[in-house]
Amino acid sequence: MTILITGATGQLGRLVIDSLLERGAEPQSIAAGARDTAKASDLAARGIRVVELDYDVPATVQAAVEGADSVLLISSSAVGQRVAQHQAVIDAAKQAGVAKLVYTSAPKATTSDLVLAPEHKATEELIAASGIPSVILRNNWYTENYADTFTQATGSGVLAASVGEGRVASASRRDFADAAAAVLLEDGHTGAVYELGGDVAWNFDDLAAAMAEVSGRPVAYQALSAEEHAAALSDAGLDAGTVGFVTALDAGIRGGALADTDGTLSRLIGRPTTPLVEGLRSIA
């Protein structure tokens, strides 16, 4: 069996490869797809086949997918361009007769009003229309997403956001990578849509307390209105598009878009998910 990992030189892709190897996959059974293959030299040194795969160059996608039994489509980071990029992988997978396509989506992608959801919803619809046997992994927030916020908040002592009392069921990137590796290697997951989140949904008072514990500095959550938040971000020099995106994300959290957790992730990986404090320690 050959498993192709798209975006293999990214943070999630590398962790998925680590997890596959730890779970017994042979290096030669893994293909690492990368836009810049030079960045994957360390993977090649481990015996993994490195292939050029640029979402924006369909010929590279087709060549990379050819011969793969399973494909992990890690969602592109190019917001606004994702659907076309993902379509290239889906088309190539269908043409190549891929037996399992695993996609990293967003929580409740088909019904959520989260600002990031529409491109994931469109991708899920493309996968369904293709008829390729698939597994959808609707990943909640990575705790590592708060790396910049951690630096800012521990430096100023203030964690400012417009999330209200919204909760986030985050987990570490490694937790989600382990889930991807599990469904790639195991039978019985085809057709599943998994909502994946950490075991605990925390609020921003909890996040501030965790930041304080890790840093040894006082951090307090400052709850802002959406208007106050937008003004503060603008005063900090962010452009209007970024301000709108950040406040829209916070509105989604405020509305509960990231709050649900039912233990599916921990069941898939066979262990509890990484606690918030431990996840923050990894980025401190």
Side-chain angles (χ1 to χ4, degrees):
M1 181 177 69
T2 299
I3 301 171
L4 171 67
I5 309 300
T6 73
T9 58
Q11 292 173 308
L12 181 62
R14 287 183 179 278
L15 289 173
V16 173
I17 290 173
D18 288 343
S19 188
L20 287 170
L21 294 172
E22 290 168 5
R23 290 168 181 263
E26 296 294 334
Q28 60 268 25
S29 72
I30 303 170
R35 182 173 58 183
D36 182 356
T37 56
K39 293 182 178 179
S41 58
D42 61 313
L43 298 176
R46 300 168 72 182
I48 294 163
R49 183 167 60 93
V50 175
V51 294
E52 182 183 4
L53 194 160
D54 186 333
Y55 289 138
D56 293 320
V57 184
T60 68
V61 178
Q62 292 165 4
V65 172
E66 186 65 35
D69 300 295
S70 299
V71 174
L72 174 62
L73 172 52
I74 294 177
S75 55
S76 165
S77 59
V79 176
Q81 304 172 47
R82 288 169 161 165
V83 179
Q85 293 176 332
H86 297 165
Q87 177 78 74
V89 178
I90 296 164
D91 288 346
K94 183 174 182 178
Q95 182 177 339
V98 166
K100 184 191 293 183
L101 177 63
V102 181
Y103 174 61
T104 61
S105 190
K108 298 181 179 178
T110 53
T111 57
S112 174
D113 58 3
L114 192 68
V115 66
L116 294 172
E119 289 183 298
H120 291 290
K121 177 178 184 290
T123 300
E124 288 192 22
E125 291 170 346
L126 290 172
I127 292 171
S130 75
I132 303 169
S134 64
V135 186
I136 305 299
L137 304 178
R138 291 179 173 170
N139 291 352
N140 205 306
W141 245 222
Y142 304 142
T143 300
E144 292 89 343
N145 288 352
Y146 291 100
D148 289 342
T149 304
F150 177 87
T151 300
Q152 295 162 2
T154 56
S156 67
V158 176
L159 172 63
S162 52
V163 299
E165 292 300 314
R167 290 181 175 271
V168 178
S170 77
S172 74
R173 192 176 275 111
R174 179 55 189 261
D175 296 335
F176 293 107
D178 283 348
V183 302
L184 285 165
L185 292 173
E186 298 171 358
D187 295 329
H189 298 288
T190 300
V193 177
Y194 291 126
E195 297 284 350
L196 302 181
D199 294 334
V200 176
W202 45 261
N203 63 24
F204 271 55
D205 283 318
D206 299 325
L207 179 58
M211 289 179 169
E213 179 177 342
V214 171
S215 67
R217 302 172 183 173
V219 179
Y221 169 44
Q222 181 182 9
L224 303 175
S225 68
E227 294 75 20
E228 291 169 336
H229 196 190
L233 293 170
S234 295
D235 290 346
L238 275 65
D239 62 87
T242 302
V243 170
F245 184 75
V246 172
T247 54
L249 281 178
D250 275 20
I253 294 173
R254 189 169 64 246
L258 302 179
D260 290 350
T261 178
D262 64 3
T264 299
L265 178 54
S266 57
R267 287 193 295 272
L268 275 179
I269 63 179
R271 59 171 174 79
T273 59
T274 305
L276 177 60
V277 167
E278 187 177 331
L280 290 176
R281 281 202 179 100
S282 73
I283 60 177

mmCIF file of all heavy atoms in Angstrom, residues 1 3 16 19-20 22-25 69-71 99-102 133-135 137 175 177-192 194 196 264-271:
data_model
loop_
_atom_site.group_PDB
_atom_site.id
_atom_site.type_symbol
_atom_site.label_atom_id
_atom_site.label_comp_id
_atom_site.label_asym_id
_atom_site.label_seq_id
_atom_site.Cartn_x
_atom_site.Cartn_y
_atom_site.Cartn_z
ATOM 1 N N MET A 1 0.837 -1.192 0.000
ATOM 2 C CA MET A 1 0.000 0.000 0.000
ATOM 3 C C MET A 1 0.875 1.245 0.000
ATOM 4 O O MET A 1 1.848 1.328 0.742
ATOM 5 C CB MET A 1 -0.905 0.016 1.231
ATOM 6 C CG MET A 1 -1.827 1.223 1.302
ATOM 7 S SD MET A 1 -2.952 1.191 2.706
ATOM 8 C CE MET A 1 -1.804 1.442 4.058
ATOM 9 N N ILE A 3 0.850 5.377 0.520
ATOM 10 C CA ILE A 3 0.100 6.493 1.092
ATOM 11 C C ILE A 3 0.769 7.792 0.671
ATOM 12 O O ILE A 3 1.949 8.002 0.948
ATOM 13 C CB ILE A 3 0.066 6.404 2.625
ATOM 14 C CG1 ILE A 3 -0.585 5.099 3.088
ATOM 15 C CG2 ILE A 3 -0.660 7.609 3.219
ATOM 16 C CD1 ILE A 3 -0.446 4.851 4.580
ATOM 17 N N VAL A 16 2.098 13.835 10.611
ATOM 18 C CA VAL A 16 1.389 12.647 10.118
ATOM 19 C C VAL A 16 2.391 11.581 9.693
ATOM 20 O O VAL A 16 2.225 10.393 10.003
ATOM 21 C CB VAL A 16 0.455 13.012 8.952
ATOM 22 C CG1 VAL A 16 -0.132 11.735 8.333
ATOM 23 C CG2 VAL A 16 -0.671 13.924 9.424
ATOM 24 N N SER A 19 3.817 9.912 12.667
ATOM 25 C CA SER A 19 2.852 9.005 13.272
ATOM 26 C C SER A 19 2.690 7.729 12.457
ATOM 27 O O SER A 19 2.567 6.628 13.019
ATOM 28 C CB SER A 19 1.499 9.710 13.432
ATOM 29 O OG SER A 19 0.595 8.914 14.171
ATOM 30 N N LEU A 20 2.691 7.848 11.144
ATOM 31 C CA LEU A 20 2.600 6.657 10.289
ATOM 32 C C LEU A 20 3.765 5.704 10.571
ATOM 33 O O LEU A 20 3.578 4.488 10.699
ATOM 34 C CB LEU A 20 2.601 7.063 8.819
ATOM 35 C CG LEU A 20 1.321 7.711 8.280
ATOM 36 C CD1 LEU A 20 1.569 8.278 6.890
ATOM 37 C CD2 LEU A 20 0.171 6.707 8.239
ATOM 38 N N GLU A 22 5.622 5.564 13.289
ATOM 39 C CA GLU A 22 5.508 5.032 14.640
ATOM 40 C C GLU A 22 4.469 3.918 14.725
ATOM 41 O O GLU A 22 4.577 3.018 15.564
ATOM 42 C CB GLU A 22 5.143 6.159 15.614
ATOM 43 C CG GLU A 22 6.279 7.144 15.842
ATOM 44 C CD GLU A 22 5.824 8.397 16.558
ATOM 45 O OE1 GLU A 22 4.639 8.451 16.969
ATOM 46 O OE2 GLU A 22 6.641 9.333 16.698
ATOM 47 N N ARG A 23 3.471 3.971 13.844
ATOM 48 C CA ARG A 23 2.419 2.962 13.820
ATOM 49 C C ARG A 23 2.774 1.777 12.923
ATOM 50 O O ARG A 23 1.921 0.912 12.698
ATOM 51 C CB ARG A 23 1.093 3.601 13.382
ATOM 52 C CG ARG A 23 0.505 4.535 14.431
ATOM 53 C CD ARG A 23 -0.643 5.384 13.884
ATOM 54 N NE ARG A 23 -1.145 6.277 14.909
ATOM 55 C CZ ARG A 23 -2.214 6.036 15.670
ATOM 56 N NH1 ARG A 23 -2.902 4.918 15.497
ATOM 57 N NH2 ARG A 23 -2.605 6.895 16.593
ATOM 58 N N GLY A 24 3.995 1.752 12.431
ATOM 59 C CA GLY A 24 4.461 0.574 11.716
ATOM 60 C C GLY A 24 4.508 0.665 10.219
ATOM 61 O O GLY A 24 4.878 -0.315 9.547
ATOM 62 N N ALA A 25 4.149 1.793 9.633
ATOM 63 C CA ALA A 25 4.232 1.932 8.182
ATOM 64 C C ALA A 25 5.694 1.917 7.743
ATOM 65 O O ALA A 25 6.565 2.500 8.415
ATOM 66 C CB ALA A 25 3.565 3.226 7.731
ATOM 67 N N ASP A 69 -2.453 4.372 -3.246
ATOM 68 C CA ASP A 69 -3.666 3.680 -2.809
ATOM 69 C C ASP A 69 -4.522 4.583 -1.919
ATOM 70 O O ASP A 69 -5.747 4.570 -2.002
ATOM 71 C CB ASP A 69 -3.293 2.408 -2.042
ATOM 72 C CG ASP A 69 -2.491 1.441 -2.877
ATOM 73 O OD1 ASP A 69 -3.038 0.933 -3.868
ATOM 74 O OD2 ASP A 69 -1.307 1.215 -2.558
ATOM 75 N N SER A 70 -3.856 5.345 -1.058
ATOM 76 C CA SER A 70 -4.545 6.271 -0.163
ATOM 77 C C SER A 70 -3.894 7.640 -0.278
ATOM 78 O O SER A 70 -2.680 7.740 -0.472
ATOM 79 C CB SER A 70 -4.472 5.795 1.293
ATOM 80 O OG SER A 70 -5.088 4.538 1.453
ATOM 81 N N VAL A 71 -4.709 8.682 -0.131
ATOM 82 C CA VAL A 71 -4.213 10.057 -0.208
ATOM 83 C C VAL A 71 -4.753 10.849 0.969
ATOM 84 O O VAL A 71 -5.960 10.821 1.249
ATOM 85 C CB VAL A 71 -4.649 10.749 -1.523
ATOM 86 C CG1 VAL A 71 -4.255 12.232 -1.514
ATOM 87 C CG2 VAL A 71 -4.047 10.053 -2.731
ATOM 88 N N ALA A 99 -8.106 4.413 -3.572
ATOM 89 C CA ALA A 99 -9.059 3.629 -2.791
ATOM 90 C C ALA A 99 -9.547 4.342 -1.540
ATOM 91 O O ALA A 99 -10.588 3.979 -0.986
ATOM 92 C CB ALA A 99 -8.428 2.296 -2.394
ATOM 93 N N LYS A 100 -8.807 5.341 -1.065
ATOM 94 C CA LYS A 100 -9.205 6.071 0.139
ATOM 95 C C LYS A 100 -8.643 7.488 0.073
ATOM 96 O O LYS A 100 -7.439 7.683 -0.054
ATOM 97 C CB LYS A 100 -8.711 5.382 1.405
ATOM 98 C CG LYS A 100 -9.171 6.047 2.714
ATOM 99 C CD LYS A 100 -8.439 5.493 3.930
ATOM 100 C CE LYS A 100 -8.787 4.062 4.203
ATOM 101 N NZ LYS A 100 -8.111 3.567 5.441
ATOM 102 N N LEU A 101 -9.532 8.464 0.164
ATOM 103 C CA LEU A 101 -9.135 9.870 0.201
ATOM 104 C C LEU A 101 -9.532 10.431 1.555
ATOM 105 O O LEU A 101 -10.713 10.418 1.927
ATOM 106 C CB LEU A 101 -9.819 10.658 -0.917
ATOM 107 C CG LEU A 101 -9.561 12.171 -0.960
ATOM 108 C CD1 LEU A 101 -8.089 12.474 -1.210
ATOM 109 C CD2 LEU A 101 -10.426 12.844 -2.014
ATOM 110 N N VAL A 102 -8.556 10.912 2.306
ATOM 111 C CA VAL A 102 -8.797 11.489 3.632
ATOM 112 C C VAL A 102 -8.583 12.993 3.532
ATOM 113 O O VAL A 102 -7.565 13.445 3.004
ATOM 114 C CB VAL A 102 -7.848 10.877 4.682
ATOM 115 C CG1 VAL A 102 -8.123 11.474 6.058
ATOM 116 C CG2 VAL A 102 -8.006 9.348 4.723
ATOM 117 N N PRO A 133 -14.004 6.707 -2.400
ATOM 118 C CA PRO A 133 -14.168 6.342 -0.987
ATOM 119 C C PRO A 133 -13.375 7.308 -0.117
ATOM 120 O O PRO A 133 -12.188 7.547 -0.375
ATOM 121 C CB PRO A 133 -13.598 4.921 -0.926
ATOM 122 C CG PRO A 133 -13.733 4.397 -2.327
ATOM 123 C CD PRO A 133 -13.489 5.588 -3.211
ATOM 124 N N SER A 134 -14.008 7.876 0.886
ATOM 125 C CA SER A 134 -13.354 8.972 1.608
ATOM 126 C C SER A 134 -13.602 8.901 3.101
ATOM 127 O O SER A 134 -14.494 8.214 3.583
ATOM 128 C CB SER A 134 -13.864 10.324 1.078
ATOM 129 O OG SER A 134 -15.253 10.460 1.338
ATOM 130 N N VAL A 135 -12.768 9.651 3.817
ATOM 131 C CA VAL A 135 -12.934 9.897 5.244
ATOM 132 C C VAL A 135 -12.741 11.393 5.450
ATOM 133 O O VAL A 135 -11.740 11.960 4.998
ATOM 134 C CB VAL A 135 -11.909 9.126 6.104
ATOM 135 C CG1 VAL A 135 -12.228 9.309 7.583
ATOM 136 C CG2 VAL A 135 -11.865 7.655 5.732
ATOM 137 N N LEU A 137 -12.128 14.381 8.061
ATOM 138 C CA LEU A 137 -11.668 14.715 9.401
ATOM 139 C C LEU A 137 -11.930 16.202 9.641
ATOM 140 O O LEU A 137 -11.193 17.055 9.131
ATOM 141 C CB LEU A 137 -10.170 14.414 9.551
ATOM 142 C CG LEU A 137 -9.726 12.990 9.245
ATOM 143 C CD1 LEU A 137 -8.210 12.869 9.389
ATOM 144 C CD2 LEU A 137 -10.430 11.982 10.152
ATOM 145 N N ASP A 175 -2.100 15.538 18.026
ATOM 146 C CA ASP A 175 -3.306 14.741 18.229
ATOM 147 C C ASP A 175 -4.037 14.528 16.907
ATOM 148 O O ASP A 175 -4.456 13.408 16.575
ATOM 149 C CB ASP A 175 -4.246 15.425 19.224
ATOM 150 C CG ASP A 175 -3.657 15.558 20.623
ATOM 151 O OD1 ASP A 175 -2.780 14.751 20.980
ATOM 152 O OD2 ASP A 175 -4.077 16.481 21.343
ATOM 153 N N ALA A 177 -2.773 14.813 13.921
ATOM 154 C CA ALA A 177 -1.914 14.027 13.032
ATOM 155 C C ALA A 177 -2.058 12.539 13.327
ATOM 156 O O ALA A 177 -2.109 11.707 12.408
ATOM 157 C CB ALA A 177 -0.454 14.459 13.183
ATOM 158 N N ASP A 178 -2.125 12.183 14.601
ATOM 159 C CA ASP A 178 -2.301 10.785 14.974
ATOM 160 C C ASP A 178 -3.630 10.243 14.466
ATOM 161 O O ASP A 178 -3.732 9.081 14.051
ATOM 162 C CB ASP A 178 -2.219 10.623 16.492
ATOM 163 C CG ASP A 178 -0.794 10.679 17.023
ATOM 164 O OD1 ASP A 178 0.153 10.611 16.214
ATOM 165 O OD2 ASP A 178 -0.630 10.796 18.244
ATOM 166 N N ALA A 179 -4.666 11.080 14.494
ATOM 167 C CA ALA A 179 -5.967 10.648 13.975
ATOM 168 C C ALA A 179 -5.898 10.391 12.480
ATOM 169 O O ALA A 179 -6.453 9.403 11.973
ATOM 170 C CB ALA A 179 -7.031 11.705 14.287
ATOM 171 N N ALA A 180 -5.221 11.272 11.757
ATOM 172 C CA ALA A 180 -5.080 11.088 10.314
ATOM 173 C C ALA A 180 -4.329 9.798 10.008
ATOM 174 O O ALA A 180 -4.719 9.022 9.118
ATOM 175 C CB ALA A 180 -4.358 12.283 9.701
ATOM 176 N N ALA A 181 -3.253 9.545 10.744
ATOM 177 C CA ALA A 181 -2.479 8.322 10.531
ATOM 178 C C ALA A 181 -3.330 7.086 10.814
ATOM 179 O O ALA A 181 -3.260 6.083 10.083
ATOM 180 C CB ALA A 181 -1.238 8.326 11.414
ATOM 181 N N ALA A 182 -4.134 7.149 11.848
ATOM 182 C CA ALA A 182 -4.976 6.007 12.208
ATOM 183 C C ALA A 182 -5.948 5.661 11.091
ATOM 184 O O ALA A 182 -6.079 4.483 10.709
ATOM 185 C CB ALA A 182 -5.729 6.291 13.506
ATOM 186 N N VAL A 183 -6.634 6.662 10.547
ATOM 187 C CA VAL A 183 -7.631 6.346 9.516
ATOM 188 C C VAL A 183 -6.973 5.983 8.193
ATOM 189 O O VAL A 183 -7.566 5.249 7.383
ATOM 190 C CB VAL A 183 -8.639 7.497 9.330
ATOM 191 C CG1 VAL A 183 -9.354 7.808 10.638
ATOM 192 C CG2 VAL A 183 -7.975 8.753 8.777
ATOM 193 N N LEU A 184 -5.761 6.443 7.960
ATOM 194 C CA LEU A 184 -5.043 6.037 6.753
ATOM 195 C C LEU A 184 -4.633 4.568 6.815
ATOM 196 O O LEU A 184 -4.678 3.857 5.799
ATOM 197 C CB LEU A 184 -3.801 6.911 6.550
ATOM 198 C CG LEU A 184 -4.038 8.327 6.038
ATOM 199 C CD1 LEU A 184 -2.791 9.183 6.238
ATOM 200 C CD2 LEU A 184 -4.451 8.315 4.565
ATOM 201 N N LEU A 185 -4.248 4.110 7.984
ATOM 202 C CA LEU A 185 -3.720 2.752 8.121
ATOM 203 C C LEU A 185 -4.790 1.709 8.441
ATOM 204 O O LEU A 185 -4.622 0.531 8.108
ATOM 205 C CB LEU A 185 -2.651 2.716 9.214
ATOM 206 C CG LEU A 185 -1.349 3.461 8.909
ATOM 207 C CD1 LEU A 185 -0.453 3.475 10.136
ATOM 208 C CD2 LEU A 185 -0.620 2.824 7.733
ATOM 209 N N GLU A 186 -5.860 2.122 9.081
ATOM 210 C CA GLU A 186 -6.864 1.169 9.543
ATOM 211 C C GLU A 186 -8.008 1.007 8.551
ATOM 212 O O GLU A 186 -8.368 1.943 7.834
ATOM 213 C CB GLU A 186 -7.441 1.628 10.892
ATOM 214 C CG GLU A 186 -6.420 1.706 12.010
ATOM 215 C CD GLU A 186 -6.977 2.378 13.255
ATOM 216 O OE1 GLU A 186 -8.151 2.816 13.243
ATOM 217 O OE2 GLU A 186 -6.223 2.474 14.251
ATOM 218 N N ASP A 187 -8.603 -0.173 8.535
ATOM 219 C CA ASP A 187 -9.827 -0.396 7.778
ATOM 220 C C ASP A 187 -11.021 0.065 8.613
ATOM 221 O O ASP A 187 -10.910 0.264 9.824
ATOM 222 C CB ASP A 187 -9.981 -1.886 7.449
ATOM 223 C CG ASP A 187 -8.895 -2.396 6.524
ATOM 224 O OD1 ASP A 187 -8.410 -1.605 5.685
ATOM 225 O OD2 ASP A 187 -8.532 -3.586 6.641
ATOM 226 N N GLY A 188 -12.159 0.210 7.950
ATOM 227 C CA GLY A 188 -13.391 0.483 8.675
ATOM 228 C C GLY A 188 -13.763 1.940 8.827
ATOM 229 O O GLY A 188 -14.788 2.249 9.447
ATOM 230 N N HIS A 189 -12.969 2.854 8.280
ATOM 231 C CA HIS A 189 -13.283 4.281 8.429
ATOM 232 C C HIS A 189 -13.930 4.892 7.181
ATOM 233 O O HIS A 189 -14.459 6.004 7.249
ATOM 234 C CB HIS A 189 -12.018 5.065 8.761
ATOM 235 C CG HIS A 189 -11.384 4.681 10.051
ATOM 236 N ND1 HIS A 189 -11.929 4.996 11.280
ATOM 237 C CD2 HIS A 189 -10.249 3.973 10.322
ATOM 238 C CE1 HIS A 189 -11.153 4.527 12.246
ATOM 239 N NE2 HIS A 189 -10.128 3.896 11.687
ATOM 240 N N THR A 190 -13.863 4.193 6.069
ATOM 241 C CA THR A 190 -14.363 4.760 4.818
ATOM 242 C C THR A 190 -15.840 5.140 4.945
ATOM 243 O O THR A 190 -16.656 4.379 5.453
ATOM 244 C CB THR A 190 -14.195 3.753 3.672
ATOM 245 O OG1 THR A 190 -12.805 3.432 3.533
ATOM 246 C CG2 THR A 190 -14.699 4.332 2.360
ATOM 247 N N GLY A 191 -16.148 6.352 4.486
ATOM 248 C CA GLY A 191 -17.504 6.876 4.557
ATOM 249 C C GLY A 191 -17.784 7.684 5.807
ATOM 250 O O GLY A 191 -18.829 8.323 5.916
ATOM 251 N N ALA A 192 -16.841 7.687 6.747
ATOM 252 C CA ALA A 192 -17.061 8.392 8.018
ATOM 253 C C ALA A 192 -16.783 9.884 7.881
ATOM 254 O O ALA A 192 -15.915 10.317 7.113
ATOM 255 C CB ALA A 192 -16.178 7.807 9.112
ATOM 256 N N TYR A 194 -15.819 12.541 10.689
ATOM 257 C CA TYR A 194 -15.479 12.629 12.103
ATOM 258 C C TYR A 194 -15.343 14.086 12.537
ATOM 259 O O TYR A 194 -14.561 14.844 11.951
ATOM 260 C CB TYR A 194 -14.163 11.906 12.386
ATOM 261 C CG TYR A 194 -14.216 10.404 12.254
ATOM 262 C CD1 TYR A 194 -13.326 9.719 11.433
ATOM 263 C CD2 TYR A 194 -15.144 9.650 12.967
ATOM 264 C CE1 TYR A 194 -13.360 8.336 11.318
ATOM 265 C CE2 TYR A 194 -15.187 8.268 12.864
ATOM 266 C CZ TYR A 194 -14.300 7.624 12.035
ATOM 267 O OH TYR A 194 -14.343 6.257 11.932
ATOM 268 N N LEU A 196 -13.734 16.206 15.133
ATOM 269 C CA LEU A 196 -12.602 15.962 16.025
ATOM 270 C C LEU A 196 -12.277 17.192 16.859
ATOM 271 O O LEU A 196 -12.061 18.285 16.320
ATOM 272 C CB LEU A 196 -11.369 15.558 15.210
ATOM 273 C CG LEU A 196 -11.521 14.322 14.317
ATOM 274 C CD1 LEU A 196 -10.211 14.033 13.586
ATOM 275 C CD2 LEU A 196 -11.951 13.113 15.141
ATOM 276 N N THR A 264 -14.482 11.782 20.211
ATOM 277 C CA THR A 264 -14.133 11.017 19.010
ATOM 278 C C THR A 264 -12.637 11.031 18.753
ATOM 279 O O THR A 264 -12.043 10.003 18.396
ATOM 280 C CB THR A 264 -14.887 11.564 17.787
ATOM 281 O OG1 THR A 264 -16.288 11.440 18.004
ATOM 282 C CG2 THR A 264 -14.513 10.791 16.528
ATOM 283 N N LEU A 265 -12.006 12.180 18.924
ATOM 284 C CA LEU A 265 -10.568 12.272 18.651
ATOM 285 C C LEU A 265 -9.781 11.357 19.582
ATOM 286 O O LEU A 265 -8.904 10.596 19.128
ATOM 287 C CB LEU A 265 -10.097 13.721 18.794
ATOM 288 C CG LEU A 265 -8.593 13.969 18.593
ATOM 289 C CD1 LEU A 265 -8.096 13.419 17.264
ATOM 290 C CD2 LEU A 265 -8.276 15.461 18.709
ATOM 291 N N SER A 266 -10.066 11.399 20.867
ATOM 292 C CA SER A 266 -9.316 10.549 21.797
ATOM 293 C C SER A 266 -9.570 9.074 21.524
ATOM 294 O O SER A 266 -8.663 8.246 21.683
ATOM 295 C CB SER A 266 -9.637 10.907 23.246
ATOM 296 O OG SER A 266 -11.014 10.808 23.512
ATOM 297 N N ARG A 267 -10.785 8.729 21.087
ATOM 298 C CA ARG A 267 -11.046 7.330 20.757
ATOM 299 C C ARG A 267 -10.242 6.892 19.532
ATOM 300 O O ARG A 267 -9.715 5.770 19.492
ATOM 301 C CB ARG A 267 -12.540 7.114 20.509
ATOM 302 C CG ARG A 267 -13.379 7.141 21.781
ATOM 303 C CD ARG A 267 -14.782 6.622 21.541
ATOM 304 N NE ARG A 267 -15.545 7.484 20.636
ATOM 305 C CZ ARG A 267 -16.264 8.521 21.048
ATOM 306 N NH1 ARG A 267 -16.303 8.852 22.334
ATOM 307 N NH2 ARG A 267 -16.948 9.245 20.176
ATOM 308 N N LEU A 268 -10.141 7.749 18.542
ATOM 309 C CA LEU A 268 -9.387 7.405 17.336
ATOM 310 C C LEU A 268 -7.906 7.211 17.629
ATOM 311 O O LEU A 268 -7.269 6.316 17.071
ATOM 312 C CB LEU A 268 -9.545 8.503 16.277
ATOM 313 C CG LEU A 268 -10.764 8.460 15.363
ATOM 314 C CD1 LEU A 268 -10.745 9.651 14.419
ATOM 315 C CD2 LEU A 268 -10.817 7.158 14.565
ATOM 316 N N ILE A 269 -7.355 8.046 18.500
ATOM 317 C CA ILE A 269 -5.905 7.985 18.736
ATOM 318 C C ILE A 269 -5.545 7.080 19.910
ATOM 319 O O ILE A 269 -4.356 6.826 20.155
ATOM 320 C CB ILE A 269 -5.310 9.393 18.932
ATOM 321 C CG1 ILE A 269 -5.875 10.086 20.181
ATOM 322 C CG2 ILE A 269 -5.576 10.245 17.697
ATOM 323 C CD1 ILE A 269 -5.289 11.483 20.420
ATOM 324 N N GLY A 270 -6.552 6.604 20.643
ATOM 325 C CA GLY A 270 -6.300 5.653 21.710
ATOM 326 C C GLY A 270 -5.676 6.228 22.959
ATOM 327 O O GLY A 270 -5.047 5.504 23.744
ATOM 328 N N ARG A 271 -5.869 7.516 23.185
ATOM 329 C CA ARG A 271 -5.334 8.175 24.380
ATOM 330 C C ARG A 271 -6.051 9.501 24.565
ATOM 331 O O ARG A 271 -6.695 9.996 23.623
ATOM 332 C CB ARG A 271 -3.826 8.426 24.243
ATOM 333 C CG ARG A 271 -3.456 9.295 23.053
ATOM 334 C CD ARG A 271 -1.998 9.703 23.048
ATOM 335 N NE ARG A 271 -1.633 10.405 21.832
ATOM 336 C CZ ARG A 271 -1.890 11.683 21.572
ATOM 337 N NH1 ARG A 271 -2.538 12.416 22.481
ATOM 338 N NH2 ARG A 271 -1.508 12.242 20.436
#
